[in-house]
Amino acid sequence: MLLRWILLLMSAAVCLAQLSSRNELSNPSQTATFNGNDGQCELGSVADRFDCYPEPGASQQGCESRGCCWRAVANATAEVQLNVPYCYYPADYRGYVVDGLDRFPDRISLKLKRQTPSGIDKDVQSVTVDVYFYLNDTARITILDATQTRFRPPVPKIPTRTFTGSLLYNVTVTQDGQLKVYRLDRSSTTIFHANLSRLVFTDQFLQISTLLPSDYVYGLGEQWNSLRRSVNWTSR
């Protein structure tokens, strides 16, 4: 049986797919307090880049004013050059830190506290991340503002339930914000891996970086076109 997983990302008022049509965010001039440097900008692969300037109008000056790294992509096709972010967070960037971690028979609950501004918009300062053991082969992950109730898309309506029996997967969370869901098989295949310290959760924008075992991702987030999502640094 293939392991299924459900990821629910609840934003403030506008989801990532909708923001792609906006010209600017509500507070694009917010300045981050960290400093990117050449040593921290050298990543192992362009796949490790986490977009620091997702809204239109990115420039080297604007990027570096946020303390981020600016690097063009050399020796790549035109399509790859357009999709790979030139402006990205340095390797030592930590937006959120784990402020609490509780384990229960049916879920794992984390509290995240904003440590460094994202530089993108007005950051949500306190975030709750819950990993529910939904079924023996399904994990449900919610990421919510811990201080106030925000808009949640009314569809799809998912029944409320948890599971306390034997699971076909395991969930691990570290104090530095590494969240992993992996199958309990011979290869321990990772189904979902997110670095929560790099989460961007603001009043009008939500961005999370994940490592997945496949390019075939369907139905994640709110969108207007095909069910399959692109994983090539695009919100569409």
Side-chain angles (χ1 to χ4, degrees), residues 71-109:
R71 296 287 190 278
V73 179
N75 301 321
T77 65
E79 181 181 1
V80 170
Q81 287 179 335
L82 288 175
N83 286 330
V84 174
Y86 285 15
C87 182
Y88 56 94
Y89 291 101
D92 59 352
Y93 171 72
R94 297 293 180 269
Y96 285 99
V97 294
V98 176
D99 195 40
L101 175 59
D102 295 303
R103 301 177 186 274
F104 303 95
D106 61 346
R107 72 187 189 279
I108 296 176
S109 184

Side-chain angles (χ1 to χ4, degrees), residues 202-234:
T202 78
D203 271 346
Q204 298 190 64
F205 188 78
L206 182 63
Q207 180 175 251
I208 188 170
S209 176
T210 62
L211 297 175
L212 301 171
S214 171
D215 291 338
Y216 295 94
V217 180
Y218 296 88
L220 178 62
E222 191 174 353
Q223 60 197 63
W224 304 103
N225 48 11
S226 63
L227 185 63
R228 181 181 174 185
R229 299 306 305 264
S230 170
V231 294
N232 192 21
W233 290 285
T234 176

Side-chain angles (χ1 to χ4, degrees), residues 27-228:
N27 186 20
S29 61
Q30 179 182 354
T31 302
T33 57
F34 59 96
N35 295 307
N37 58 66
D38 288 342
Q40 295 297 326
C41 291
E42 298 302 325
L43 306 181
S45 166
V46 293
D48 296 327
R49 295 188 179 189
F50 192 51
D51 200 348
C52 182
Y53 211 116
E55 68 269 35
S59 66
Q60 182 171 356
Q61 181 180 2
C63 174
E64 292 177 349
S65 72
R66 295 182 176 183
C68 291
C69 305
W70 179 270
R71 296 287 190 278
V73 179
N75 301 321
T77 65
E79 181 181 1
V80 170
Q81 287 179 335
L82 288 175
N83 286 330
V84 174
Y86 285 15
C87 182
Y88 56 94
Y89 291 101
D92 59 352
Y93 171 72
R94 297 293 180 269
Y96 285 99
V97 294
V98 176
D99 195 40
L101 175 59
D102 295 303
R103 301 177 186 274
F104 303 95
D106 61 346
R107 72 187 189 279
I108 296 176
S109 184
L110 294 91
K111 299 291 185 183
L112 303 180
K113 182 179 180 181
R114 173 57 71 175
Q115 174 177 271
T116 307
S118 66
I120 295 176
D121 190 21
K122 184 180 179 181
D123 293 296
V124 173
Q125 297 300 311
S126 183
V127 175
T128 299
V129 180
D130 286 303
V131 184
Y132 294 96
F133 309 145
Y134 193 72
L135 291 171
N136 72 323
D137 60 354
T138 306
R140 180 184 181 186
I141 304 172
T142 62
I143 303 176
L144 302 171
D145 186 337
T147 60
Q148 61 178 306
T149 301
R150 294 177 177 265
F151 171 76
R152 301 176 66 167
V155 291
K157 188 173 182 179
I158 300 175
T160 300
R161 68 161 67 98
T162 55
F163 184 81
T164 58
S166 179
L167 300 173
L168 297 178
Y169 59 90
N170 194 21
V171 179
T172 62
V173 183
T174 63
Q175 285 294 334
D176 62 351
Q178 300 290 335
L179 169 60
K180 289 185 180 181
V181 181
Y182 61 91
R183 294 172 61 174
L184 294 177
D185 56 15
R186 291 183 179 179
S187 59
S188 297
T189 304
T190 298
I191 303 300
F192 179 81
H193 177 197
N195 183 350
L196 297 176
S197 71
R198 293 196 163 201
L199 171 71
V200 176
F201 195 158
T202 78
D203 271 346
Q204 298 190 64
F205 188 78
L206 182 63
Q207 180 175 251
I208 188 170
S209 176
T210 62
L211 297 175
L212 301 171
S214 171
D215 291 338
Y216 295 94
V217 180
Y218 296 88
L220 178 62
E222 191 174 353
Q223 60 197 63
W224 304 103
N225 48 11
S226 63
L227 185 63
R228 181 181 174 185

